[in-house]
Amino acid sequence: MGRIASARKQTDSALEYYRKACELFPSYGAAHYALALAYRLLGDKEKAKEHFALNKKFQTTMPPLQDPLLDAVSEFNAGATDHLKKGVGLGAAGLIHEAIAEHERALELDPNMVQAHLNLINYYGGWDGSTGRRNTAPRPWP
């Protein structure tokens, strides 16, 4: 909204939007930069200088993007390969039970995914040669 107000030359309105962005996300560098520009346009050199300094300090910092609806849509659209990749990452992090759940979800979507089957054998501990069956207790990631 601040950008729209700035583009319309509504500097006072833009200033309020940028001020609110800085209030909500104090380490949001781009918002401090925009706020500094607005203060400079309004002739407040001290506040402009303060926010230019904050922009420099937080130049690459952005607010976190937490969007539960987007997360739900992404999960809905995730394919078997996405779950396999996530499962591999979880397994590498030592989160075996979570890795197994992701691999099983991949197999629900694509029962013929060979790599998911192979990874699950590894996660479950492989095959027990004496019984000819796979071990059922997950073992820690090496």
Side-chain angles (χ1 to χ4, degrees):
M1 299 298 295
R3 286 182 181 178
I4 293 170
S6 290
R8 292 180 177 167
K9 308 290 186 210
Q10 299 169 346
T11 307
D12 290 329
S13 179
L15 182 110
E16 290 306 314
Y17 286 116
Y18 296 139
R19 188 180 295 153
K20 185 65 174 178
C22 291
E23 178 185 317
L24 292 171
F25 305 105
S27 61
Y28 187 14
H32 285 289
Y33 181 77
L35 186 55
L37 291 177
Y39 277 127
R40 188 170 69 182
L41 282 172
L42 294 173
D44 192 336
K45 292 179 183 181
E46 286 302 312
K47 285 193 178 184
K49 185 177 177 181
E50 173 189 342
H51 287 281
F52 278 128
L54 288 169
N55 166 256
K56 187 173 183 177
K57 179 179 179 181
F58 301 117
Q59 195 166 9
T60 60
T61 307
M62 294 183 63
L65 298 175
Q66 297 173 339
D67 186 342
L69 180 59
L70 180 60
D71 292 344
V73 169
S74 295
E75 178 65 24
F76 180 77
N77 288 330
T81 303
D82 297 313
H83 288 284
L84 177 70
K85 288 178 184 176
K86 185 175 179 182
V88 168
L90 290 165
L95 302 170
I96 304 303
H97 293 285
E98 293 86 347
I100 289 171
E102 286 298 324
H103 280 76
E104 289 175 347
R105 178 71 179 121
L107 289 172
E108 287 174 12
L109 296 171
D110 182 359
N112 297 319
M113 183 176 267
V114 174
Q115 190 62 54
H117 286 286
L118 294 172
N119 291 355
L120 280 174
I121 290 169
N122 184 45
Y123 293 136
Y124 280 122
W127 291 96
D128 185 336
S130 64
T131 63
R133 305 175 87 190
R134 71 180 170 153
N135 293 326
T136 57
R139 62 184 169 105
W141 189 257

